[in-house]
Amino acid sequence: MATKPQCLCVLSAAQQGVSAHSFIHSFTLTHSVFQVQLATPMGQSMEFVDMDENTARWISEFRTKSFATPTKLELIDASDYSVLLIPNSPGAVHDLSNHRELGNILNAFIADRKPICAIGLGVAALCSAMSMDGRTWMLREYSMTAPPVREIVSRPDFATMPIVLEDFLREHGASYTANAGIGVHVVVDKHLITGQNDQSTLTAIQNLILHFNTSRADAKNRSN
């Protein structure tokens, strides 16, 4: 049996947690195609939020699996992975938006034009992709989406957020769009796929898999 390509799934370990719904959809879909490696800052356990009875049951069973234990984000070698995924993680604003090692991983993916997918507040993790001198955001001029200010201003942790995500994206040169409602909104720009919210998870992951398969087929054709 052929070895599956590797997917790096980066999750927040902050108390604000990871969206259970977004993670379940993300993991279920990617696990069918990739070998999925979870990673958090210092390998800390992740907290899942916004769970109902069904998602709580799924997460409880998932935690019994060996692959449910995250590795240390600080030890990741970007060259080992084909795609990078960041599900909707409200905690990402707090512990991933200025994470040096994650920034290095993202910059390697950007340089190699490997697929990157970030969803909801997980998009905040992309903010760590700064140049070596810290002056330039490496995803400037990309088109992307993320939760708008109007959707997060009512969050209890809004006042303590180190960045306001929509403002950061606009101020650092991204072409930002968002839906007025809570429906699905996904933006694909070259190898970057972003989804606005939980509802966008399924479509975003489908685009990630499609982009990977297309890129792999193109590379195979070029080598023939």
Side-chain angles (χ1 to χ4, degrees), residues 203-221:
T203 303
I205 300 300
Q206 289 171 336
N207 274 275
L208 174 67
I209 294 171
L210 176 62
H211 189 287
F212 171 77
N213 287 335
T214 301
S215 299
R216 183 166 61 172
D218 289 344
K220 184 176 180 179
N221 290 335

Side-chain angles (χ1 to χ4, degrees), residues 139-165:
L139 287 168
R140 65 194 185 285
E141 300 181 357
Y142 276 74
S143 296
M144 63 184 68
T145 187
V149 175
R150 64 177 180 273
E151 289 185 7
I152 62 174
V153 69
S154 60
R155 287 187 55 84
D157 62 327
F158 180 76
T160 62
M161 286 182 176
I163 61 168
V164 176
L165 187 50

Side-chain angles (χ1 to χ4, degrees), residues 10 86-90 92-93 96 117-127 147 165 195:
V10 177
I86 310 159
N88 184 16
S89 300
V93 177
L96 295 178
C117 179
I119 301 161
L121 285 169
V123 175
L126 303 181
C127 300
L165 187 50

Side-chain angles (χ1 to χ4, degrees), residues 2-191:
T3 303
K4 287 183 178 180
Q6 299 283 319
C7 169
L8 176 61
C9 181
V10 177
L11 303 172
S12 170
Q15 64 178 3
Q16 292 80 11
V18 177
S19 163
H21 286 89
S22 183
F23 175 77
I24 290 171
H25 283 302
S26 297
F27 185 86
T28 302
L29 284 175
T30 53
H31 189 61
S32 65
V33 178
F34 303 98
Q35 185 73 32
V36 181
Q37 174 64 64
L38 307 185
T40 61
M42 297 305 295
Q44 298 175 81
S45 178
M46 53 277 181
E47 294 297 326
F48 294 100
V49 297
D50 301 327
M51 290 194 290
D52 56 26
E53 183 177 346
N54 290 331
T55 54
R57 187 181 305 113
W58 192 97
I59 293 294
S60 179
E61 182 177 349
F62 172 78
R63 287 191 184 277
T64 67
K65 310 296 185 182
S66 59
F67 49 70
T69 302
T71 192
K72 292 182 179 181
L73 183 56
E74 294 77 9
L75 300 181
I76 291 294
D77 183 343
S79 65
D80 292 337
Y81 299 91
S82 300
V83 300
L84 173 59
L85 168 63
I86 310 159
N88 184 16
S89 300
V93 177
H94 298 274
D95 68 350
L96 295 178
S97 62
N98 191 30
H99 193 285
R100 179 180 298 179
E101 286 81 7
L102 177 56
N104 293 337
I105 294 167
L106 284 164
N107 288 341
F109 267 76
I110 294 165
D112 293 338
R113 300 180 67 83
K114 292 194 289 188
I116 300 169
C117 179
I119 301 161
L121 285 169
V123 175
L126 303 181
C127 300
S128 63
M130 302 300 291
S131 61
M132 290 296 292
D133 61 11
R135 296 180 179 179
T136 304
W137 187 43
M138 304 307 290
L139 287 168
R140 65 194 185 285
E141 300 181 357
Y142 276 74
S143 296
M144 63 184 68
T145 187
V149 175
R150 64 177 180 273
E151 289 185 7
I152 62 174
V153 69
S154 60
R155 287 187 55 84
D157 62 327
F158 180 76
T160 62
M161 286 182 176
I163 61 168
V164 176
L165 187 50
E166 178 183 348
D167 292 349
F168 179 99
L169 300 182
R170 292 185 185 279
E171 291 168 3
H172 286 77
S175 176
Y176 173 84
T177 60
N179 265 354
I182 59 172
V184 174
H185 183 56
V186 172
V187 175
V188 180
D189 187 354
K190 299 182 279 291
H191 60 107

